[in-house]
Amino acid sequence: MNQEKSPGRVIIVHHSEIALKKGNRSFFESRLRTNIKQSLRDVPGVDVRIDFGRFLIYLEDFVDIDLVVQRLKQVIGIASFKVAFKGSSDPEILKEQVFDKVKHLQFESFRVDTRRADKQFPFKSVEVNQIVGARIHTAMKKRVDLKNAQLVVNIEIFNKQVFYAVDSYPGERGLPVGSTGKVVSMLSAGIDSPVSSFRMMKRGCQVIFVHFHSYPFTEKSSVYNAIELARKLTVYQNHSKVYIVPLGDVQKEIIIASPPKLRVVMYRRMMFRLAERIAQKEGARAIITGESLGQVASQTLENIAAISEVVDMPVLRPLIGMEKEEIIRSSRQIGLFEISIEPCADSCSYLVPQRPETKARPEQVHAAEEKMGDWQALLDRALQETEVEQLDFPE
Ligand code: ATP
Ligand code: MG
């Protein structure tokens, strides 16, 4: 309970799918609360609470509201939120306060939605709706629409206090990060895998990034770009780990042992094995990739089969049925695209033939791996030489 506080402004947060998960509701809510607190941890004067059946953020008078709004828009699990102001408990005064806020706004239809948690309050919700609604309707000649109003005025009555809100901001929606578990995402510096990582965050996953590079055989640019992409994505999950794995020595042995056409599939099998080991260490339950069926030679059904057979863990491919155009649109929306299109030395295109195999046969691949000798030792060494970068938002 929060009796002693009487702030002038409070943010009312509406969460998205949490309500569907009846039995787990308090678990999802407390995860969302933690995530909101994390994303505001450098902002003094905010207090995130679940009070009176509502998700509330109490704000001291000095709080920079624009910063708080900007941060909340990026918290996954919020459907929408409203900045509410303290109003009078006399409806005749309250209606003037509300009218003052809406009179400059452009809208054709509206409704007033009052929720009263405080049953001792002398007016019923419908009465408040009528008094405030009549004021707006009479003065502005706007239509009341109970279903599809353009403007919704919210009035919340709890703990002997009245708050009213007019501005509503859309949230990022989805399930709170961390509420469904951990995954390892194979993050290249390209367009697809960052988008696919973001989609898993929106399904409640804490994403651990794994990037493979071929340095010193190629330059290190893909590593910088992958870290920049992970940094952008960290805005949505507050804390990220990026595993940076040197694949060059493994690739060198593959080049010696296998026909050029098979190289991509061979590289990818080794990447999956390494990703699985990192996932086991991190307690992650699935591997994520940015593959989309038929997009490039390695992404045929045959090659996907030849690649996934090396791991026991589920491999999830959130983009498998998406078109490149849709993926690019998402990438732009999240603000990843500019980094993704920066040219860099990607370890997958390292020494790849013009026409890679599109239908890798298992026996060919097994024979080539046989010829490689002790590749397990190479993988062990790659993991020993792996570096881990920790990213935090806000920094
Ligand atoms: P992206 O746009 O994500 O780079 P892509 O269209 O270039 O994908 P591929 O090169 O076939 O396709 O890669 C398929 C998937 O394999 C990627 O989406 C990513 O998940 C993973 N992957 C590829 N290269 C790397 C890498 N260097 N490090 C980590 N993961 C990688
Ligand atoms: Mg790529």
Side-chain angles (χ1 to χ4, degrees):
M1 294 291 275
N2 200 31
Q3 303 288 356
E4 73 288 353
K5 290 216 169 155
S6 181
R9 288 173 307 177
V10 61
I11 291 179
I12 301 167
V13 175
H14 300 281
H15 45 58
S16 42
E17 291 173 56
I18 296 176
L20 298 176
K21 311 247 181 291
K22 281 265 175 342
N24 286 330
R25 189 179 170 121
S26 68
F27 165 74
F28 279 81
E29 282 185 342
S30 82
R31 173 53 74 170
L32 180 58
R33 175 168 179 246
T34 305
N35 294 354
I36 293 174
K37 283 169 74 167
Q38 281 294 310
S39 74
L40 296 173
R41 71 170 185 270
D42 60 338
V43 183
V46 301
D47 186 8
V48 186
R49 288 167 172 266
I50 301 172
D51 275 349
F52 321 104
R54 290 162 173 74
F55 228 111
L56 302 170
I57 306 174
Y58 294 92
L59 306 172
E60 302 281 355
D61 291 338
F62 59 82
V63 171
D64 175 359
I65 190 76
D66 293 338
L67 177 62
V68 174
V69 167
Q70 184 200 331
R71 292 283 173 81
L72 292 179
K73 282 182 178 167
Q74 296 162 336
V75 177
I76 293 174
I78 294 181
S80 65
F81 59 96
K82 297 192 158 101
V83 183
F85 299 88
K86 189 158 172 57
S88 171
S89 50
D90 176 349
E92 293 300 320
I93 301 175
L94 178 65
K95 76 179 187 191
E96 297 306 325
Q97 293 173 318
V98 173
F99 180 64
D100 225 45
K101 282 269 184 237
V102 303
K103 67 184 178 197
H104 309 292
L105 301 179
Q106 295 287 331
F107 60 98
E108 286 314 315
S109 59
F110 77 102
R111 89 185 136 93
V112 183
D113 186 352
T114 303
R115 286 181 59 204
R116 183 178 64 137
D118 185 354
K119 296 300 173 201
Q120 283 165 8
F121 191 77
F123 296 88
K124 291 203 173 114
S125 301
V126 278
E127 292 171 326
V128 178
N129 287 346
Q130 277 159 6
I131 296 168
V132 176
R135 177 72 178 97
I136 298 171
H137 176 71
T138 316
M140 301 182 78
K141 300 280 176 283
K142 301 296 184 193
R143 183 164 52 82
V144 175
D145 185 335
L146 297 182
K147 281 218 176 105
N148 296 311
Q150 279 178 11
L151 175 76
V152 179
V153 176
N154 287 83
I155 298 176
E156 300 270 352
I157 303 167
F158 52 86
N159 196 25
K160 301 191 182 68
Q161 303 183 89
V162 176
F163 287 94
Y164 62 97
V166 172
D167 302 313
S168 176
Y169 300 91
E172 190 49 67
R173 308 195 71 90
L175 296 169
V177 169
S179 65
T180 59
K182 278 193 209 173
V183 295
V184 157
S185 178
M186 293 176 43
L187 183 74
S188 69
I191 295 169
D192 304 318
S193 46
V195 173
S196 121
S197 306
F198 180 69
R199 290 184 84 104
M200 295 312 291
M201 288 179 185
K202 288 201 51 171
R203 296 318 296 159
C205 291
Q206 176 79 39
V207 176
I208 295 148
F209 300 104
V210 179
H211 177 73
F212 300 96
H213 66 85
S214 312
Y215 182 79
F217 304 100
T218 62
E219 40 166 337
K220 224 172 175 175
S221 50
S222 79
V223 176
Y224 304 127
N225 290 7
I227 291 175
E228 273 324 293
L229 289 164
R231 199 188 302 284
K232 279 262 177 195
L233 288 163
T234 303
V235 165
Y236 300 95
Q237 65 173 7
N238 301 118
H239 305 285
S240 301
K241 269 187 186 175
V242 191
Y243 281 78
I244 300 162
V245 187
L247 198 69
D249 287 332
V250 177
Q251 289 179 301
K252 215 170 68 185
E253 293 306 315
I254 290 175
I255 289 164
I256 297 167
S258 71
K261 280 181 87 140
L262 276 189
R263 276 176 198 168
V264 179
V265 170
M266 301 274 292
Y267 293 170
R268 202 53 63 72
R269 282 165 68 96
M270 295 300 175
M271 288 183 180
F272 269 50
R273 290 178 171 120
L274 290 161
E276 184 179 45
R277 286 183 52 183
I278 292 168
Q280 282 159 349
K281 176 165 167 268
E282 287 285 345
R285 296 188 187 282
I287 296 169
I288 311 304
T289 77
E291 289 159 301
S292 150
L293 190 63
Q295 197 190 85
V296 291
S298 62
Q299 299 173 14
T300 60
L301 289 176
E302 289 81 357
N303 285 355
I304 286 174
I307 293 165
S308 334
E309 67 166 12
V310 301
V311 292
D312 290 325
M313 201 172 264
V315 179
L316 305 180
R317 300 174 167 88
L319 310 186
I320 197 72
M322 283 176 76
E323 277 181 42
K324 194 74 184 184
E325 280 308 309
E326 285 176 270
I327 300 170
I328 289 176
R329 216 176 309 133
S330 292
S331 167
R332 285 189 196 279
Q333 261 168 18
I334 317 162
L336 301 166
F337 189 70
E338 301 305 323
I339 310 172
S340 288
I341 56 172
E342 268 178 40
C344 68
D346 183 55
S347 81
C348 250
S349 36
Y350 173 54
L351 294 180
V352 163
Q354 286 293 324
R355 278 178 220 285
E357 182 58 66
T358 56
K359 292 183 180 175
R361 289 203 317 274
E363 55 287 8
Q364 279 180 300
V365 178
H366 298 160
E369 269 175 7
E370 198 71 22
K371 267 178 71 185
M372 275 180 77
D374 188 5
W375 49 262
Q376 288 286 4
L378 289 173
L379 298 190
D380 289 341
R381 188 140 55 85
L383 285 176
Q384 276 157 21
E385 289 166 7
T386 291
E387 288 169 41
V388 184
E389 180 99 6
Q390 172 75 44
L391 303 173
D392 300 294
F393 178 85
E395 277 168 30

